[in-house]
Amino acid sequence: MNNSTQLAIQTEGLTKHFGAIHALQDVSLQVPNGTIFGFLGPNGAGKSTLIRVLTGLIHASAGHFAILGRRSKHNFHLRRGIGALVDRADFYKQLSGYHNLEMLARLSGHNKPSHLNDILHQVGLYSRRHDKVKTYSQGMKQRLGLGQALLGDPKLLILDEPTTGLDPIGMVEIRDFIRKIAEEREATIFLSSHLLHEVEELCTHIGLIFSGELVAQGSIEALFQHMGEITLDLDVTPTAVAEKFLQNHDLVKSCEQTATTLRISILYENVPELLRQLARQDVNIFSASQKNRLEAFFLAQAEGK
Amino acid sequence: MMIFTLIRNELFKIFSYWRTYMSYFFILLLVPLFFWGFSVGGSNIERQLTNAMGNHFLMVGKLVNAFTVAYFVLNFLWIHIPFLIALVGGDVLAGEEAAGTYRVYLTRPVSRWKIFLSKSIATLLYTLSVILFLGIMSIGVGAIWMGLGDLVVLQDGILVLPAGTAAIRFALAYGLSFLNMSLVATLAIFFSAMVKNAVGPVIGTMAIVIIFFAISSLPLDFFETIRPFFFTTYFDSWTKAFYDPIPWDYLWLSTWTALLHIALFLGGAFLIFKRKDILS
């Protein structure tokens, strides 16, 4: 494998069958170091299967992978230096949050009380650390899940739908927390989700998986540049002048007025040129926003499948 | 020493469940009840024995003592204690899968082999603790309550074991019991590796034990032929510790049978556990 040291995760031809079901088909993924990588796909596409293979919970039928530049026959060695939260966070309910964390920390030799308390502070559970996990809300369990993933200061965090089952406030908290970890620890974060806005908000890179096949991967900006036609909402005045200009413009495929904006269809690479020309028409451009860029990209890829 | 850390974790988990303490509570409750029963009704038993043997022997001292009661208490080893041990052994692997805790535990940088080994050792340590507790409660507390004395064993006749010999025989009986209960524990672990909830392994283990006992006791030629191949056939090995002379051949056979089954059950359980995909 080339460039393996620059890649936090690299898979080659990773395949997993459950009987006749092909959960992963020849997946070759590359996750660069230091990125927040969003792994996207609809429910049942194979996101969790890939994560479970990477974290050693399930065995691949074929192919291999490297984590943080390391390959090993015994994949528990690969789990050194990574933290993972797979699916919903479940713990030993009869034990306290602290004891759960302590028990898991012993497995990687990072069980100093100061380290554990530091993590509990970070995830906002310090004051509840001695309460049994069965008294925690799902949001608290999820934060404890993130806490256990942070044990030993991992260089790679693998998070499988970390906001699943949380209320909107909990989701925002977790996203802020992930962003903070990425900034403060300079760790690579590999995040699976089917929430497009979540990925668009957090991630620098994405990978798209449909029916077990990886259909796209790379930086968000690079992928969007190749996405073809997009929908753009323009907040402009005077609207009538702008509308007339846009309706007759060669670069614009369609133009319609919404309640507050002019909505146009245009090729992604033609946007800067169109905006330049529009400004020359004495039109004031307050904003030009592409709503749900990722959604458009995702749907385009889904149609391609 | 990672394995000690893992065993410590597993013991911590086992002893954090209230069901783990059921066996101790059971012993704590029933053994004193036996002592109370014997101390109240023991004089009748003693009188009957004295009447029956008084014509042939000179009876001196107490016939009903801590050893006598401890000998009766050992009968818990047929069904009751196996059930309580299966409760813990059956949960040790399946319980984690049912609770979803494998998703955090198995993603740590530890091999499944070590995790399996630690779970098995922890379960066997628990089994040992139950047998030791049974011994302490039966003989230790019994000695304070009723005092020690010679042990009268009714086994194809009457055998009187002097107190010193009886103590050694009890040590042997508890050792053999530990082996048999370890077999039950490993059978529960084997079932536990196969399923995703802890109820199945407990029922499965007890079903096997009871069915094998039932088949073993049927006086039919066919069952007589296959009887030696059932591990439950040798569950009576502790009773043989009180024979005179001790049937060492039988005890060695029972020991090897138990060890072989333990190895088979643990080996099978490990193969299943190692290859298992954690999907829950």
Side-chain angles (χ1 to χ4, degrees):
Chain A
M1 291 187 183
N2 298 324
N3 302 321
S4 59
T5 48
Q6 282 88 49
L7 295 172
I9 300 172
Q10 187 175 22
T11 74
E12 276 185 2
L14 214 54
T15 299
K16 177 66 185 176
H17 302 156
F18 294 109
I21 298 166
H22 293 239
L24 292 176
Q25 297 183 64
D26 200 24
V27 172
S28 295
L29 179 76
Q30 296 193 329
V31 178
N33 265 326
T35 58
I36 304 182
F37 193 102
F39 193 46
L40 277 168
N43 288 330
K47 304 185 297 293
S48 291
T49 304
L50 180 81
I51 282 183
R52 282 170 193 250
V53 170
L54 294 175
T55 52
L57 291 176
I58 65 178
H59 306 280
S61 306
H64 33 81
F65 61 94
I67 290 180
L68 298 172
R70 292 195 302 261
R71 288 177 65 169
S72 173
K73 264 201 298 187
H74 307 290
N75 75 8
F76 70 91
H77 288 307
L78 301 181
R79 298 200 288 273
R80 290 204 180 98
I82 74 167
L85 172 58
V86 182
D87 205 350
R88 196 184 63 242
D90 281 313
F91 290 92
Y92 304 97
K93 294 182 181 74
Q94 73 283 12
L95 300 177
S96 69
Y98 184 89
H99 279 139
N100 267 285
L101 215 53
E102 184 185 37
M103 211 163 50
L104 294 167
R106 281 192 205 122
L107 303 185
S108 44
H110 298 96
N111 55 327
K112 280 187 182 164
S114 57
H115 180 54
L116 302 183
N117 287 330
D118 190 33
I119 284 175
L120 285 161
H121 269 300
Q122 283 184 53
V123 296
L125 288 174
Y126 185 75
S127 61
R128 297 284 308 271
R129 69 192 183 284
H130 294 311
D131 292 345
K132 288 185 175 175
V133 167
K134 65 182 169 194
T135 66
Y136 285 13
S137 67
Q138 188 54 44
M140 292 166 76
K141 285 185 206 164
Q142 212 65 9
R143 278 190 277 152
L144 188 61
L146 281 174
Q148 65 80 30
L150 293 176
L151 287 167
D153 297 322
K155 292 286 165 222
L156 169 65
L157 270 179
I158 297 178
L159 308 173
D160 183 17
E161 305 198 4
T163 57
T164 298
L166 298 182
D167 59 27
I169 296 170
M171 285 183 175
V172 171
E173 274 179 13
I174 296 290
R175 276 183 216 132
D176 288 347
F177 185 67
I178 291 169
R179 217 175 273 123
K180 197 172 122 193
I181 295 166
E183 282 167 13
E184 289 178 0
R185 295 171 181 254
E186 297 175 351
T188 306
I189 297 177
F190 182 75
L191 171 94
S192 89
S193 181
H194 59 268
L195 302 176
L196 301 174
H197 64 95
E198 178 173 280
V199 170
E200 190 163 9
E201 227 178 88
L202 281 172
C203 300
T204 56
H205 290 63
I206 57 168
L208 252 63
I209 188 167
F210 289 97
S211 307
E213 286 181 50
L214 190 70
V215 294
Q217 64 177 318
S219 76
I220 287 187
E221 290 311 317
L223 287 170
F224 284 171
Q225 277 176 12
H226 300 105
M227 68 184 287
E229 199 173 290
I230 61 163
T231 302
L232 203 63
D233 281 339
L234 298 170
D235 183 5
V236 292
T237 57
T239 314
V241 176
E243 189 177 9
K244 192 178 173 192
F245 174 77
L246 292 168
Q247 277 176 341
N248 297 320
H249 203 289
D250 292 342
L251 296 179
V252 178
K253 307 277 179 185
S254 69
C255 176
E256 63 179 79
Q257 191 160 8
T258 68
T260 55
T261 62
L262 287 175
R263 179 165 292 166
I264 62 168
S265 293
I266 185 171
L267 286 174
Y268 184 77
E269 63 263 32
N270 291 335
V271 174
E273 178 56 29
L274 180 78
L275 292 180
R276 266 195 299 273
Q277 290 185 24
L278 189 61
R280 281 191 220 116
Q281 303 302 311
D282 285 337
V283 169
N284 300 310
I285 305 171
F286 293 97
S287 71
S289 57
Q290 187 188 344
K291 294 289 182 193
N292 302 318
R293 281 195 309 174
L294 189 54
E295 187 175 288
F297 180 71
F298 186 85
L299 292 173
Q301 297 296 324
E303 278 171 22
K305 278 292 294 174
Chain B
M1 296 301 260
M2 176 56 81
I3 194 68
F4 294 117
T5 305
L6 289 168
I7 293 169
R8 186 178 160 198
N9 269 1
E10 293 307 325
L11 287 172
F12 191 61
K13 280 189 243 174
I14 285 175
F15 284 96
S16 68
Y17 291 108
W18 71 267
R19 66 169 165 267
T20 304
Y21 299 94
M22 276 175 67
S23 48
Y24 305 112
F25 283 132
F26 173 80
I27 293 166
L28 203 61
L29 200 72
L30 283 183
V31 173
L33 201 65
F34 263 61
F35 278 111
W36 178 77
F38 271 86
S39 59
V40 170
S43 52
N44 281 338
I45 299 169
E46 210 162 60
R47 205 176 306 123
Q48 283 169 17
L49 280 170
T50 311
N51 289 341
M53 300 187 294
N55 296 334
H56 310 285
F57 299 99
L58 179 64
M59 308 299 287
V60 180
K62 287 170 68 182
L63 283 179
V64 176
N65 55 53
F67 284 144
T68 320
V69 182
Y71 183 77
F72 280 94
V73 166
L74 276 170
N75 284 292
F76 286 149
L77 292 165
W78 295 114
I79 296 292
H80 303 88
I81 291 179
F83 173 73
L84 294 166
I85 283 170
L87 270 182
V88 172
D91 187 67
V92 75
L93 295 170
E96 294 240 18
E97 191 156 7
T101 46
Y102 273 150
R103 291 199 308 275
V104 288
Y105 206 69
L106 294 183
T107 54
R108 312 310 302 179
V110 184
S111 70
R112 285 200 187 186
W113 158 244
K114 282 185 180 168
I115 288 175
F116 177 81
L117 189 66
S118 65
K119 283 180 177 293
S120 302
I121 291 173
T123 308
L124 294 179
L125 285 174
Y126 163 74
T127 306
L128 180 65
S129 77
V130 171
I131 299 295
L132 285 175
F133 190 65
L134 184 72
I136 290 166
M137 281 298 292
S138 304
I139 296 176
V141 176
I144 298 166
W145 194 322
M146 302 184 94
L148 299 173
D150 295 346
L151 173 67
V152 176
V153 181
L154 302 171
Q155 206 96 54
D156 301 330
I158 295 169
L159 174 68
V160 181
L161 295 169
T165 310
I168 295 165
R169 300 298 182 91
F170 268 105
L172 180 61
Y174 286 125
L176 292 164
S177 304
F178 168 61
L179 210 56
N180 290 334
M181 292 307 105
S182 297
L183 199 161
V184 173
T186 54
L187 177 62
I189 291 173
F190 176 70
F191 283 128
S192 190
M194 290 200 288
V195 295
K196 290 179 184 172
N197 75 74
V199 180
V202 179
I203 294 172
T205 304
M206 290 318 293
I208 293 277
V209 169
I210 291 167
I211 289 168
F212 277 21
F213 269 141
I215 291 174
S216 301
S217 59
L218 286 175
L220 298 171
D221 285 348
F222 173 72
F223 293 126
E224 287 291 329
T225 317
I226 59 171
R227 198 170 178 266
F229 301 102
F230 290 162
F231 58 82
T232 46
T233 303
Y234 307 96
F235 266 28
D236 65 351
S237 58
W238 65 265
T239 62
K240 307 280 197 273
F242 298 99
Y243 279 23
D244 197 51
I246 296 170
W248 286 109
D249 287 348
Y250 184 86
L251 294 189
W252 279 119
L253 177 66
S254 73
T255 300
W256 285 114
T257 304
L259 289 174
L260 181 71
H261 278 89
I262 288 169
L264 279 175
F265 291 143
L266 285 182
F270 173 65
L271 286 179
I272 296 167
F273 179 67
K274 186 177 182 290
R275 299 163 68 142
K276 191 169 211 159
D277 285 338
I278 307 299
L279 301 170
S280 59

